[in-house]
Amino acid sequence: MKKVGFFKSIHFKFVVVYILLIIIAMQVIGVLFMERQEEKLKDNFTKNIDENADLIEVNLEEELEILLTQSEKDTSEQRLSEMLQDFSFSDIDKMMVINTDQQIIAADDSNLVGQKTTEAIISQALLGLTTNDIFKKEGENVRTYVVSKPIRIGQSGQILGALYLEASIEDIYELSRTLNEILANATIIALAITAFLGIILASTITRPLADMQKQAQVMARGDFTRKVKVYDKDEIGQLAASFNDLTKKLQEANEITESERTKLRSVLSYMTDGVIATDRQGYIILMNDRSEEMLSLSRHEAMGRFLPEVLGIEEEFRIDKLEESADSLILDYSSHEVPFILRASFSVIQKDDGPVNGIITVLHDVTEQEQIERDRREFVSNVSHELRTPLTTMRSYLEALEDGAMKDENLAPKFLQVTQQETERMIRLVTDLLQLSKMDNKDYRLDFQKVNLRELMLQVIDRFEMSKNDKISFEKHLYDKPLPVRVDRDKIIQVLDNIISNAIKYSPDGGKITFVLEKDGKNVHISIKDEGVGIPKQNLSKIFDRFYRVDKARSREIGGTGLGLAIASEVVKAHNGEIWAESEYGKGTTIHVKLPTHQTREVSA
């Protein structure tokens, strides 16, 4: 996970917000306090000046009346000036008394007495208006509080003159500026302390959160052993404790999941069936080893590919059809040399009334079952055909005899002879079938005895040599010494009979059959070669199948049940031996039989 930058971290945001809140609070408090404080100071100052002005006006009223009514004006003016000096206040910078002619008759500064003034504020006072306001003198950056009020005679209210006072109020504003500076400095100090405390407080909050973030990253990597440190018992501490409890439960759940995954992996690995899982779109997300073997496709190559494409059924089926299909599919991957058939069963991964999350496909190798079923059908068909042919022939001849051929002395014996031959043919077929059936039975056992195979083979060849066509010759290359082996004598004779019979049937006039018997280590090797039509290479591996004939029409013309080589193959295998054929089409066929000289135990057929 990418590390969060300092300026984007909660720590930085918390400190900034905390400082901004303090700044706003200090500013609001400072503005309100300073405005109220300045107003209060100004009110107190002006109120004090106004009260002093009233006091001076009351005391000057009598003297001013005397001054205006008596003849000793100089004495009265001097007395007024002395009174003003006596009323001198530290806050008042300038005091004047002006008569109705706008002449200064008394002042705290004697140099001003006798001068006339034309200030509008004094003119308003002489008209009976009291004025008190703050003014800034021209050319000076000093604010002054000015009071101008009329002086009246008590009851009549006659205006005798005006009282004019000036008091500098700049000290009040200077005091406000000083307080503002003090407040600003206090704000800076408070902000520094606030930032320090904010950092500490933010650390107490962000440190556990950062620890939990590290724990989450460690958990994401699958490590559940680390624990978050609980710093306090507050809400964050409770969150850290809950996080540790969650880690413990996740560890337990992960252990259970891993155990189940291991079991599932083991089950999938050792299953004889292939298993493939897909996502909801049908793309492969899992497959076991057996499915890799069946499809000849590695897990790396299959991952992410479309299931119908991998199974080779994309043209016939869509993924939605596979989801709806309850039946299995037969997939034939057989080649000319090797049959290979799979049955694919599909199961939908879906919660109750929920969407489809994927498909599980189970691949089962049914090559043997299908081969058995195919052989069974072919066997039934062949048996039916082999039995129907002689029965049909017998029925035709018997019907002919019934229709009157019985009375014909020439035809009747021939018809009866054909009927007898067909009956014997059916008996041979049924006998061969019974023998194969017995050999298929696991309880069937061979009667092993010690036999001189060279002598036995000579006896069989001599028997056929007496009854063969003179146009076919035998050539023998047999082991020149006695060759003792442990075999079932009757069954080996039957094997030789079946092979030699086929060689004679398919040998042309003038053909030669070659017999070879030799010792090959702990085995004996028999080969019987004819010079018949031979067997095509593509049919060579099937000649030991039951009822298999390369040329069915010609085979039925020369007779036989089609089971001779099948019986020979079963007998040889029961002796722990091998049987195979070599052939070149048009030049002949050689049947090879290899048998062990000693059987280690009684072998079931």
Side-chain angles (χ1 to χ4, degrees):
M1 183 181 293
K2 186 178 180 181
K3 186 176 180 181
V4 178
F6 174 75
F7 294 104
K8 293 183 179 180
S9 64
I10 295 178
H11 192 286
F12 176 76
K13 294 177 181 178
F14 187 88
V15 173
V16 169
V17 170
Y18 193 53
I19 292 175
L20 288 176
L21 287 175
I22 295 299
I23 290 175
I24 293 171
M26 293 288 288
Q27 289 299 316
V28 172
I29 293 172
V31 169
L32 292 176
F33 172 77
M34 292 309 299
E35 286 184 355
R36 295 293 299 276
Q37 181 69 17
E38 187 174 321
E39 289 294 329
K40 187 68 176 177
L41 289 173
K42 286 167 59 178
D43 289 344
N44 290 337
F45 182 83
T46 57
K47 182 178 180 182
N48 184 46
I49 297 300
D50 290 342
E51 289 176 353
N52 290 334
D54 291 338
L55 178 63
I56 295 171
E57 187 256 338
V58 170
N59 286 280
L60 292 180
E61 180 181 339
E62 181 178 353
E63 289 298 327
L64 186 60
E65 183 180 359
I66 294 173
L67 175 64
L68 296 175
T69 55
Q70 294 181 3
S71 57
E72 296 180 1
K73 292 185 178 180
D74 294 337
T75 304
S76 297
E77 290 177 355
Q78 185 179 359
R79 209 166 34 249
L80 281 173
S81 297
E82 291 175 356
M83 289 181 67
L84 286 178
Q85 291 175 359
D86 292 339
F87 281 113
S88 177
F89 298 96
S90 60
D91 295 335
I92 300 175
D93 297 327
K94 185 177 182 179
M95 291 186 291
M96 295 187 302
V97 178
I98 300 94
N99 60 18
T100 55
D101 295 331
Q102 291 188 346
Q103 184 179 6
I104 300 173
I105 58 174
D108 56 353
D109 184 1
S110 58
N111 295 325
L112 297 175
V113 177
Q115 298 180 9
K116 291 195 79 171
T117 179
T118 58
E119 292 186 18
I121 190 172
I122 296 176
S123 301
Q124 292 177 355
L126 293 175
L127 294 175
L129 298 176
T130 299
T131 302
N132 47 1
D133 204 350
I134 297 173
F135 296 93
K136 183 180 289 188
K137 291 183 179 180
E138 295 182 4
E140 298 182 12
N141 193 22
V142 178
R143 280 160 288 201
T144 303
Y145 182 66
V146 176
V147 178
S148 176
K149 60 184 301 181
I151 302 175
R152 302 173 185 272
I153 298 176
Q155 297 294 328
S156 63
Q158 180 183 356
I159 297 174
L160 301 178
L163 176 63
Y164 178 83
L165 301 177
E166 284 185 5
S168 176
I169 200 173
E170 193 63 32
D171 292 341
I172 301 298
Y173 289 99
E174 185 65 28
L175 179 60
S176 295
R177 283 193 295 272
T178 302
L179 290 176
N180 279 330
E181 291 177 0
I182 294 172
L183 183 61
N185 293 331
T187 301
I188 293 172
I189 295 172
L191 287 177
I193 297 173
T194 300
F196 177 73
L197 294 177
I199 292 171
I200 296 176
L201 180 60
S203 298
T204 61
I205 296 175
T206 57
R207 183 169 52 182
L209 294 178
D211 198 12
M212 282 185 272
Q213 181 193 17
K214 292 179 181 178
Q215 173 67 6
Q217 293 173 346
V218 171
M219 288 169 60
R221 294 193 294 267
D223 183 5
F224 298 95
T225 58
R226 186 178 183 274
K227 301 295 181 183
V228 176
K229 184 177 179 180
V230 180
Y231 292 92
D232 207 341
K233 294 183 179 180
D234 55 5
E235 290 84 352
I236 295 179
Q238 293 177 354
L239 176 61
S242 300
F243 204 87
N244 288 333
D245 185 53
L246 174 63
T247 302
K248 182 179 179 181
K249 291 181 179 179
L250 283 175
Q251 183 178 10
E252 294 173 354
N254 185 66
E255 290 174 354
I256 295 173
T257 302
E258 188 61 32
S259 175
E260 294 300 322
R261 185 183 291 111
T262 302
K263 293 178 184 178
L264 178 60
R265 190 182 297 114
S266 299
V267 170
L268 291 176
S269 297
Y270 292 102
M271 281 182 66
T272 57
D273 292 339
V275 177
I276 301 175
T278 72
D279 58 15
R280 64 181 60 188
Q281 283 80 33
Y283 294 97
I284 295 175
I285 57 175
L286 180 146
M287 64 188 301
N288 66 347
D289 296 340
R290 181 58 178 153
S291 61
E292 292 186 64
E293 296 173 6
M294 288 179 167
L295 299 176
S296 299
L297 186 69
S298 69
R299 187 181 288 107
H300 177 72
E301 294 173 331
M303 287 300 174
R305 292 181 59 183
F306 197 44
L307 177 62
E309 176 190 350
V310 172
L311 297 180
I313 56 174
E314 66 274 16
E315 295 182 359
E316 297 86 355
F317 293 94
R318 299 194 308 273
I319 197 66
D320 54 349
K321 287 189 177 182
L322 292 179
E323 294 171 0
E324 298 168 1
S325 175
D327 299 329
S328 57
L329 298 177
I330 298 298
L331 308 176
D332 192 348
Y333 298 125
S334 302
S335 63
H336 291 295
E337 295 80 12
V338 181
F340 186 50
I341 302 173
L342 299 178
R343 177 185 288 113
S345 301
F346 304 97
S347 177
V348 176
I349 306 173
Q350 183 179 22
K351 293 183 178 179
D352 296 340
D353 300 326
V356 174
N357 293 323
I359 296 175
I360 296 292
T361 304
V362 178
L363 303 176
H364 182 64
D365 188 350
V366 293
T367 305
E368 185 176 353
Q369 295 93 314
E370 290 293 318
Q371 189 67 37
I372 291 172
E373 180 62 22
R374 187 181 296 114
D375 292 343
R376 184 192 64 80
R377 291 193 296 268
E378 186 176 352
F379 177 78
V380 171
S381 175
N382 288 330
V383 169
S384 300
H385 183 81
E386 293 295 336
L387 289 174
R388 185 171 60 249
T389 301
L391 286 173
T392 302
T393 303
M394 290 171 60
R395 179 181 178 182
S396 300
Y397 280 89
L398 290 173
E399 286 177 352
L401 290 171
E402 185 182 9
D403 290 341
M406 181 66 74
K407 298 176 182 180
D408 190 329
E409 295 180 358
N410 294 323
L411 290 177
K414 294 180 180 180
F415 283 9
L416 289 173
Q417 185 182 4
V418 172
T419 303
Q420 184 179 2
Q421 290 174 351
E422 294 299 324
T423 302
E424 291 174 353
R425 179 180 172 185
M426 283 193 297
I427 291 172
R428 289 196 304 272
L429 175 62
V430 172
T431 301
D432 289 344
L433 290 173
L434 288 174
Q435 184 174 355
L436 284 171
S437 178
K438 287 179 181 180
M439 298 186 73
D440 288 337
N441 192 337
K442 293 182 180 180
D443 296 332
Y444 178 73
R445 291 185 178 273
L446 300 175
D447 182 16
F448 286 97
Q449 53 188 288
K450 193 171 183 179
V451 175
N452 183 349
L453 188 59
R454 182 179 186 278
E455 182 181 346
L456 178 64
M457 193 168 175
L458 281 172
Q459 291 174 3
V460 175
I461 295 172
D462 289 344
R463 176 161 46 84
F464 275 98
E465 195 168 13
M466 292 177 62
S467 60
K468 70 176 178 64
N469 186 345
D470 294 337
K471 295 181 180 180
I472 298 175
S473 62
F474 284 0
E475 183 177 324
K476 292 174 280 189
H477 301 279
L478 304 183
Y479 193 66
D480 56 357
K481 296 179 182 180
L483 195 56
V485 293
R486 280 183 55 82
V487 295
D488 187 320
R489 178 185 177 88
D490 294 338
K491 294 298 183 289
I492 294 300
I493 290 175
Q494 187 178 13
V495 170
L496 295 173
D497 284 349
N498 291 340
I499 297 174
I500 296 172
S501 296
N502 282 343
I504 293 173
K505 287 177 185 178
Y506 291 102
S507 291
D509 291 342
K512 179 176 65 175
I513 299 176
T514 303
F515 301 92
V516 177
L517 173 62
E518 57 187 357
K519 189 174 181 180
D520 182 11
K522 294 183 179 181
N523 300 307
V524 292
H525 185 191
I526 302 170
S527 63
I528 300 172
K529 179 180 179 182
D530 63 50
E531 296 179 349
V533 295
I535 303 170
K537 186 176 180 180
Q538 64 270 20
N539 302 116
L540 196 60
S541 62
K542 300 179 182 179
I543 64 170
F544 297 103
D545 295 345
R546 300 176 187 186
F547 293 107
Y548 183 79
R549 291 185 174 94
V550 178
D551 187 348
K552 294 182 174 57
R554 186 169 183 273
S555 297
R556 290 198 173 93
E557 285 180 4
I558 61 177
T561 62
L563 298 173
L565 289 180
I567 293 173
S569 176
E570 294 295 335
V571 171
V572 172
K573 289 178 182 177
H575 282 78
N576 289 327
E578 297 179 56
I579 184 169
W580 70 96
E582 293 178 352
S583 181
E584 186 175 353
Y585 191 67
K587 293 186 178 182
T589 301
T590 303
I591 303 296
H592 297 271
V593 176
K594 184 178 286 188
L595 295 171
T597 56
H598 297 283
Q599 297 293 334
T600 57
R601 59 184 177 86
E602 296 286 315
V603 183
S604 299

